[in-house]
């Protein structure tokens, strides 16, 4: 995915001015930034849900997942996944088996029959992830997918998402306002500036920093310092 010199305005207020960003195939990148820094706008542009005002965006077709599962409530968990398989062109006779494989992958092997309201928030996000994977696209864009969940459920889903990323080889771009989450998941953390329309910082995350609480905490502190400067710098001028 290659973004070069991206500009984007809303009502002539710039969100991005000359943003450059490249992400390699198979990479797991986390985007952090203050509220209103343009994280969702960037994902939407990459997904083709919004347009850029200038610059170039080269990205393969993406599957997108949001904070709310946006599952269809009149369908079962399996029905939601199967529908995505249908849209992805998977033949009818293969869909049931493929749906079960995806339910297994997100660790819900026995929940296919359940309606959306019979699933916990964490289970709903697992089904939404299975549905996104059903679209069979190499790029997965996730906009605060775990922000509405309790921390224990979130920790489980972090482990599962890492396993799924390794198993499927997808490129993943995940937005979060949680620096710890970004370090837990990302190979690279990118901080969007709050007022200059570009990138304020970028860090590579080592395996030690990802899995060792002490090493991770030190990096988190570094990133939080820049993030706070961004957010408070903005507050100071407005
Ligand atoms: N559809 C829209 N119309 C007008 N302004 C918008 C729209 N979407 C986002 N914005 C503005 O663009 C900026 C970036 O928003 P957003 O990408 O949602 O930020 P984030 O996801 O980082 O919180 C904010 O100032 C927001 O108010
Ligand atoms: Mg957002």
């Amino acid at each position: 995915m290659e973004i070069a010199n991206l500009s984007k305005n809303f009502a002539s207020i710039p969100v991005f001015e000359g943003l450059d960003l490249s992400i390699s195939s198979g990479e797991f990148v986390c985007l952090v930034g203050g509220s209103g820094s343009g994280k969702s706008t960037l994902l939407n542009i990459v997904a083709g849900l919004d347009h850029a005002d200038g610059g170039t965006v080269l990205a393969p077709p993406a599957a997108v997942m949001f904070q709310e599962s946006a599952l269809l409530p009149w369908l079962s968990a399996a029905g939601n996944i199967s529908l995505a398989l249908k849209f992805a062109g998977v033949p009818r006779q293969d869909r049931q088996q493929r749906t079960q494989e995806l339910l297994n992958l997100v660790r819900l092997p026995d929940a296919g029959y359940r309606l959306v309201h019979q699933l916990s928030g964490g289970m709903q996000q697992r089904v939404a992830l299975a549905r996104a994977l059903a679209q069979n696209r190499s790029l997965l864009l996730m906009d605060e997918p775990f922000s509405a969940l309790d921390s224990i459920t979130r920790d489980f889903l972090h482990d599962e998402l890492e396993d799924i990323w390794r198993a499927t080889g997808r490129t993943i771009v995940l937005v979060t306002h949680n620096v710890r989450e970004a370090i837990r998941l990302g190979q690279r953390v990118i901080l969007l500036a709050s007022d200059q329309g570009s990138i304020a910082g970028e860090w590579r995350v080592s395996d030690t920093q990802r899995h060792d609480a002490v090493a991770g905490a030190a990096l988190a502190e570094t990133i939080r310092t820049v993030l706070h400067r961004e957010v408070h710098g903005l507050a100071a001028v407005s």
Side-chain angles (χ1 to χ4, degrees), residues 47-103:
L49 300 171
D50 200 347
H51 70 276
D53 292 320
T56 53
V57 177
L58 291 177
V64 193
M65 190 179 153
F66 301 100
Q67 185 170 336
E68 274 83 44
S69 69
L71 296 170
L72 301 174
W74 59 89
L75 293 178
S76 65
N80 272 279
I81 297 167
S82 182
L83 186 63
L85 290 170
K86 181 178 175 180
F87 284 132
V90 175
R92 176 187 287 272
Q93 67 270 20
D94 298 338
R95 275 180 229 150
Q96 193 178 348
Q97 188 193 337
R98 189 75 193 108
T99 296
Q100 190 57 51
E101 287 167 6
L102 285 163
L103 284 165

Side-chain angles (χ1 to χ4, degrees), residues 28-220:
F28 197 142
V29 170
C30 289
L31 277 182
V32 296
S35 177
S37 59
K39 304 181 295 296
S40 295
T41 301
L42 184 59
L43 281 204
N44 289 340
I45 290 172
V46 172
L49 300 171
D50 200 347
H51 70 276
D53 292 320
T56 53
V57 177
L58 291 177
V64 193
M65 190 179 153
F66 301 100
Q67 185 170 336
E68 274 83 44
S69 69
L71 296 170
L72 301 174
W74 59 89
L75 293 178
S76 65
N80 272 279
I81 297 167
S82 182
L83 186 63
L85 290 170
K86 181 178 175 180
F87 284 132
V90 175
R92 176 187 287 272
Q93 67 270 20
D94 298 338
R95 275 180 229 150
Q96 193 178 348
Q97 188 193 337
R98 189 75 193 108
T99 296
Q100 190 57 51
E101 287 167 6
L102 285 163
L103 284 165
N104 296 346
L105 188 65
V106 297
R107 309 228 171 119
L108 289 176
D110 306 317
Y113 70 92
R114 292 206 201 193
L115 290 169
V116 173
H117 75 266
Q118 297 170 320
L119 300 166
S120 69
M123 292 164 93
Q124 288 183 22
Q125 286 308 70
R126 287 191 171 98
V127 176
L129 177 58
R131 182 180 60 176
L133 294 169
Q135 296 175 47
N136 204 22
R137 294 181 163 169
S138 60
L139 177 59
L140 177 58
L141 305 173
M142 309 178 82
D143 194 351
E144 310 219 15
F146 309 135
S147 297
L149 304 175
D150 64 86
S151 64
I152 295 173
T153 305
R154 207 184 305 146
D155 287 346
F156 274 117
L157 284 167
H158 289 165
D159 294 343
E160 289 171 14
L161 181 60
E162 185 183 9
D163 291 347
I164 287 167
W165 169 63
R166 290 189 191 286
T168 62
R170 295 286 206 283
T171 309
I172 301 183
V173 183
L174 182 144
V175 165
T176 176
H177 57 255
N178 182 328
V179 171
R180 289 290 309 164
E181 179 166 89
I183 291 171
R184 168 66 189 85
L185 290 169
Q187 296 175 295
R188 189 149 63 104
V189 177
I190 293 170
L191 173 55
L192 286 185
S194 291
D195 60 352
Q196 65 210 49
S198 60
I199 289 167
E202 185 179 329
W203 297 266
R204 291 220 158 261
V205 186
S206 67
D207 287 337
T208 316
Q209 287 165 324
R210 191 168 315 121
H211 293 291
D212 178 271
V214 177
L219 178 61

